[in-house]
Amino acid sequence: MVDHLANTEINSQRIAAVENCFGASGQPLALPGRVLLGEGILTKECRKKPKPRIFFLFNDILVYGSIILNKRKYNSQHIIPLEDVTLETLPDTLQMKNRWMIKTSKKSFVVSAASLTERKEWISHLEECIKHLLTKTGRQPCREHAAPWIPDKATDICMRCTHTKFSTLTRRHHCRKCGFVVCADCSRHRFLMPRLSPKPLRVCNLCYRQLLAEEKKEAEADRRQVEPICSAVQGYEPSSGDDSDKSDDDKAEHWPADTEFYTSEVSWSSFHS
């Protein structure tokens, strides 16, 4: 199907129509060999509430955006390379059915289709395109994925300290590492995670300690690799700069794994509504 449609006039017209719907706010989508395979409206689980979004499946990218006028105008265009995508089917909830998660290294989120058949078709086409791309490029499937943000309404208390209650004055925040909904006191730190952003991002206290430990471990491993080289060089003296570890008096929280959230590796004790 892709080979049949590539570089055809009808495919060019379809892609031009999508570009026109996004207007000046969208990026150009036409590329040699790129084919528009399908489109549809899916419900995306957003921070505040589920919202309808338009999705366009190309043979190499997935594009989605907000709906202003259906079939006529969209904005907030997002482009996801399919080589970076991993899919995970999810169980139904009371609010949303036919759910699955789209996981990438920079952002992961949950969507739902209008029917089980529609979900199967979306997943089938996505997996086929991903498999074809990985075979073509020789790349391995992405192993590291950004944590999905837990919706605000999933809890009315901080998921770390479990005693701060959210209100109009006490804001909810999201840890960029685990996706938990946390209070300001439990997310005062920021940490540079180049895979997600060139700027330091807000993280909860627990993830901050874990990230510091990982960073220290990596630095120690690098030091052990350099030491044999330095000792072999006559007259080499290492830098006299002192490294100081930041102290953190927060107590580590331990969450029982009774409830799985999004059937992923992140779990906590219970949901609060």
Side-chain angles (χ1 to χ4, degrees):
M1 179 179 176
V2 173
D3 294 337
H4 176 70
L5 289 174
N7 304 317
T8 61
E9 183 63 25
I10 185 65
N11 179 63
S12 299
Q13 291 175 358
R14 290 171 178 171
I15 295 178
V18 176
E19 290 179 333
N20 185 59
C21 287
F22 278 104
S25 64
Q27 298 183 34
L29 299 173
L31 282 178
R34 176 171 289 170
V35 176
L36 176 60
L37 299 176
E39 64 182 83
I41 295 176
L42 299 172
T43 301
K44 179 177 177 288
E45 287 191 9
C46 300
R47 177 176 178 175
K48 298 295 183 182
K49 63 180 181 179
K51 298 178 181 179
R53 294 286 185 261
I54 184 69
F55 281 79
F56 298 95
L57 176 60
F58 296 81
N59 59 326
D60 61 337
I61 58 174
L62 181 66
V63 178
Y64 73 93
S66 302
I67 302 171
I68 306 300
L69 292 172
N70 193 25
K71 299 290 185 181
R72 295 182 62 184
K73 188 175 182 180
Y74 310 120
N75 65 6
S76 302
Q77 184 191 74
H78 297 267
I79 300 177
I80 303 175
L82 290 182
E83 294 178 5
D84 194 34
V85 171
T86 303
L87 306 177
E88 179 183 352
T89 56
L90 301 174
D92 293 345
T93 66
L94 292 176
Q95 294 78 22
M96 298 180 68
K97 300 183 183 300
N98 311 310
R99 305 161 67 232
W100 76 94
M101 188 187 299
I102 298 174
K103 300 190 290 185
T104 78
S105 60
K106 294 186 177 295
K107 184 177 183 179
S108 299
F109 54 93
V110 177
V111 295
S112 66
S115 66
L116 182 61
T117 300
E118 186 177 333
R119 182 180 75 170
K120 288 181 179 179
E121 290 178 351
W122 268 103
I123 292 178
S124 175
H125 289 303
L126 280 164
E127 288 180 339
E128 184 177 352
C129 290
I130 294 168
K131 181 181 178 180
H132 177 75
L133 276 174
L134 293 178
T135 301
K136 182 180 179 180
T137 61
R139 287 183 52 183
Q140 294 297 316
C142 184
R143 301 297 182 187
E144 295 186 26
H145 305 107
W149 282 21
I150 295 176
D152 286 359
K153 291 186 177 180
T155 178
D156 59 1
I157 63 171
C158 174
M159 296 175 68
R160 283 303 182 201
C161 66
T162 69
H163 62 73
T164 299
K165 189 175 180 63
F166 297 119
S167 66
T168 54
L169 298 179
T170 305
R171 289 187 55 201
R172 291 171 167 85
H173 299 279
H174 278 82
C175 171
R176 269 56 168 184
K177 180 67 168 61
C178 66
F180 278 20
V181 184
V182 292
C183 65
D185 287 339
C186 289
S187 59
R188 292 190 177 280
H189 300 289
R190 280 171 169 75
F191 199 90
L192 180 62
M193 294 179 283
R195 181 169 53 87
L196 300 181
S197 171
K199 298 180 180 180
L201 300 175
R202 179 188 293 270
V203 293
C204 68
N205 296 341
L206 180 59
C207 286
Y208 181 71
R209 289 192 290 272
Q210 292 175 344
L211 288 165
L212 279 182
E214 292 173 3
E215 185 180 61
K216 185 177 180 180
K217 185 177 179 180
E218 291 175 0
E220 182 67 20
D222 291 340
R223 185 184 64 80
R224 286 197 297 267
Q225 289 180 351
V226 172
E227 278 182 347
I229 301 175
C230 296
S231 61
V233 179
Q234 187 175 3
Y236 176 84
E237 293 184 2
S239 171
S240 60
D242 294 328
D243 293 328
S244 59
D245 295 329
K246 293 182 179 180
S247 62
D248 193 337
D249 298 329
D250 296 324
K251 295 181 180 179
E253 299 86 355
H254 299 280
W255 293 91
D258 298 336
T259 304
E260 291 189 353
F261 195 91
Y262 290 152
T263 65
S264 68
E265 297 177 355
V266 178
S267 60
W268 73 307
S269 57
S270 61
F271 290 98
H272 301 268
S273 59

